[in-house]
Amino acid sequence: MTATTSPRPPRHRLIPLLTGLAFGLMASTASWAAMLDLEKDELKFGFIKLTDMAPLAVAYELGYFEDEGLYVTLEPQANWKVLLDGVITGSLDGAHMLAGQPLAATIGYGTKAHIVTPFSMDLNGNGITVSNAVWELMKPHLEMDAEGKPVHPISAAALKPVIEAFEAEGKPFNLGMVFPVSTHNYELRYWLAAGGINPGYYSPEDVSGQIAADAYLSVTPPPQMPATLEAGTIDGYAVGEPWNQAAVFKKIGVPVITDYDIWKNNPEKVFGLTAEFVEANPNTTIAITKALIRAAKWLDENDNANRAEAVEILSRSEYVGADANVIAASMTGTFEFEAGDVRDVPDFNVFYRYYATYPYYSDAVWYLTQMRRWGQIAEDQPDSWYDEVARSVYRPDLYLEAARQLVDEGLIEEADVPWDSSGYREPTAEFIDGVTYDGTKPNAYIDSLPVGLKTGERVEGSEVVANQ
């Protein structure tokens, strides 16, 4: 696959051409104040064509990679598996990843590899869309406001009678999600289960995720989702932007809920690297993280004042390549549900505020609890195991080192960073079902969820059974 960007030569390669006063002036600028001795300066990063790859595009286009002496090429990937394989084999130095990917790889679910992340790319940014036909069937089960518009958030309970009608006619109800360990898979499953719909289980022998399912979830690459919905192959999907808004613009589907309303300010993508890369290239890793933190800050600063420019960047073919109006529909603080029903969702895309870029252990643990809940982790694990895996993958130590340099250089504020955090967020009940999540007590949390595996249970054949 050929690169789609045209990297500029990094500034540090021009140093031999600069002498005397010119060099002295440049060396006094903030971006030169802490130039690291890079182990590797020519890098290739992968991404999927989604709005939340924005920190990579911005760090490239605004020269933040250059400021760190990095010569970066950005390359879109066909799907999440290809992207992960590229990082593992070294054909990519790092990548925009699903938050579950480094965790799954590290514990050996799928391809075994130790992947780490020093940087969380964003909060929120996903939605669940259904076909126009399914939406019409859901409407009689929705609460409407005085203007005749649906009251949000919409519970999956409104979808349950639709699925039952499909079943009565002998038809499966099919939903698309982007990858078995994707945020979208777990958010879709969470929403369905909160509405009384079983999304199915995984087992070591059956990795379809459809064991005992009421609705059948399967993988569809994000850019293909609107066309797959239009063809009738799936009845709905969970995906990141701009592919929910694309369904509205194409008049083929209706987004029914955003992930902000499933779990307020949920962690989404991360930037992933192999542990071997980080060990061999510690200064380069810090430099990458610094550039990405600056990009995230730019995306959110001054009440999202830069989002229009970000939309223009992302709409280019080398990045997301979708119509700017479609990207802007969600990225500039609004979200369109049913055609014409445009609502303010200022935090639909968050890149920097609320400590969005800090890699919290509790975020990692939540993904691990969902893997256990649905059988991707087949057996019980003690609470200590969840903490150990989180600490081996999420690296706030690297993040804090990069952030300290940026504060010292005057590029971010001291208050922008949770310096004293234990790595665990405070317990929160800001989920659609109101269940409290405490990352320090993963097994108690798993057991508190009404649908899903509990302590002492496993999937055997087509049933959930108790361990003997």
Side-chain angles (χ1 to χ4, degrees):
M1 186 179 294
T2 57
T4 58
T5 55
S6 300
R8 310 170 183 86
R11 292 178 186 172
H12 75 288
R13 296 189 173 205
L14 302 180
I15 292 176
L17 304 179
L18 302 171
T19 56
L21 180 62
F23 178 78
L25 289 172
M26 291 190 70
S28 68
T29 65
S31 64
W32 284 83
M35 179 64 76
L36 295 162
D37 183 11
L38 302 177
E39 301 86 6
K40 185 175 184 179
D41 60 4
E42 296 188 15
L43 303 167
K44 183 186 291 186
F45 299 149
F47 68 92
I48 298 294
K49 292 194 168 192
L50 292 163
T51 300
D52 54 27
M53 65 77 59
L56 283 170
V58 168
Y60 178 85
E61 293 293 335
L62 271 62
Y64 297 154
F65 286 132
E66 279 186 19
D67 288 347
E68 301 301 328
L70 299 172
Y71 180 41
V72 169
T73 298
L74 302 178
E75 183 175 286
Q77 304 296 298
N79 57 55
W80 292 111
K81 184 181 187 307
V82 169
L83 177 145
L84 178 63
D85 289 346
V87 173
I88 292 171
T89 62
S91 63
L92 296 172
D93 295 295
H96 163 233
M97 285 187 182
L98 300 159
Q101 282 188 295
L103 295 161
T106 297
I107 66 173
Y109 187 79
T111 305
K112 172 73 173 174
H114 189 185
I115 308 294
V116 303
T117 178
F119 178 83
S120 182
M121 292 190 72
D122 64 320
L123 304 177
N124 312 316
N126 297 332
I128 297 172
T129 292
V130 298
S131 69
N132 289 335
V134 169
W135 176 243
E136 291 303 318
L137 293 171
M138 288 179 68
K139 274 187 172 180
H141 308 287
L142 299 176
E143 180 185 354
M144 298 292 179
D145 64 18
E147 298 179 355
K149 293 181 178 180
V151 174
H152 282 252
I154 292 174
S155 168
L159 184 61
K160 190 171 183 179
V162 179
I163 293 175
E164 291 170 347
F166 271 57
E167 185 179 9
E169 295 176 13
K171 298 189 301 183
F173 191 86
N174 297 312
L175 292 166
M177 48 80 182
V178 309
F179 203 65
V181 296
S182 67
T183 317
H184 321 76
N185 185 23
Y186 303 127
E187 290 170 348
L188 179 55
R189 287 170 174 274
Y190 200 101
W191 181 68
L192 292 170
I197 300 164
N198 190 333
Y201 296 98
Y202 297 83
S203 75
E205 297 76 31
D206 183 349
V207 295
S208 69
Q210 298 179 353
I211 299 169
D214 297 327
Y216 299 92
L217 281 58
S218 59
V219 171
T220 304
Q224 297 175 23
M225 284 193 170
T228 308
L229 182 72
E230 189 171 19
T233 307
I234 53 177
D235 302 295
Y237 55 71
V239 74
E241 282 307 300
W243 309 115
N244 296 287
Q245 292 299 284
V248 179
F249 277 71
K250 292 175 179 290
K251 301 180 179 179
I252 59 171
V254 176
V256 293
I257 192 168
T258 69
D259 60 342
Y260 181 84
D261 282 326
I262 297 172
W263 175 12
K264 181 180 177 181
N265 290 332
N266 65 90
E268 230 303 286
K269 303 295 191 306
V270 297
F271 187 77
L273 309 126
T274 63
E276 292 81 2
F277 179 95
V278 171
E279 183 176 356
N281 304 283
N283 287 343
T284 299
T285 301
I286 297 301
I288 294 165
T289 306
K290 288 175 66 180
L292 292 174
I293 292 172
R294 290 182 66 194
K297 180 177 185 290
W298 181 87
L299 281 159
D300 277 11
E301 67 187 0
N302 300 323
D303 295 323
N304 296 350
N306 297 321
R307 292 295 179 89
E309 185 177 348
V311 166
E312 188 281 321
I313 291 171
L314 293 172
S315 68
R316 299 174 194 170
S317 59
E318 61 264 36
Y319 297 123
V320 179
D323 186 274
N325 290 332
V326 175
I327 297 174
S330 63
M331 196 163 181
T332 54
T334 62
F335 194 89
E336 188 167 10
F337 292 91
E338 191 173 14
D341 184 2
V342 179
R343 306 192 185 206
D344 290 332
V345 188
D347 284 341
F348 180 78
N349 282 124
V350 173
F351 294 97
Y352 191 69
R353 54 188 177 273
Y354 315 134
Y355 304 137
T357 54
Y358 184 91
Y360 283 94
Y361 299 139
S362 50
D363 294 349
V365 171
W366 188 83
Y367 286 104
L368 293 168
T369 66
Q370 301 309 294
M371 293 177 192
R372 171 60 188 144
R373 181 186 187 186
W374 303 117
Q376 291 174 330
I377 297 172
E379 304 291 341
D380 291 334
Q381 301 292 341
D383 285 353
S384 59
W385 179 87
Y386 289 87
D387 179 70
E388 289 164 7
V389 173
R391 290 175 186 274
S392 74
V393 175
Y394 278 47
R395 296 290 305 274
D397 57 319
L398 298 175
Y399 177 91
L400 292 175
E401 185 174 344
R404 173 51 60 198
Q405 292 187 21
L406 290 174
V407 170
D408 291 346
E409 293 167 22
L411 295 172
I412 66 172
E413 300 297 322
E414 186 88 17
D416 293 351
V417 181
W419 302 104
D420 297 326
S421 174
S422 68
Y424 282 85
R425 299 179 190 266
E426 291 297 312
T428 177
E430 292 185 313
F431 291 82
I432 192 167
D433 56 4
V435 173
T436 297
Y437 168 60
D438 181 347
T440 66
K441 301 174 181 177
N443 280 296
Y445 173 65
I446 292 167
D447 289 344
S448 74
L449 296 164
V451 181
L453 296 178
K454 307 292 189 295
T455 300
E457 292 182 342
R458 70 181 192 280
V459 180
E460 188 173 287
S462 60
E463 298 180 343
V464 174
V465 300
N467 291 328
Q468 298 299 317

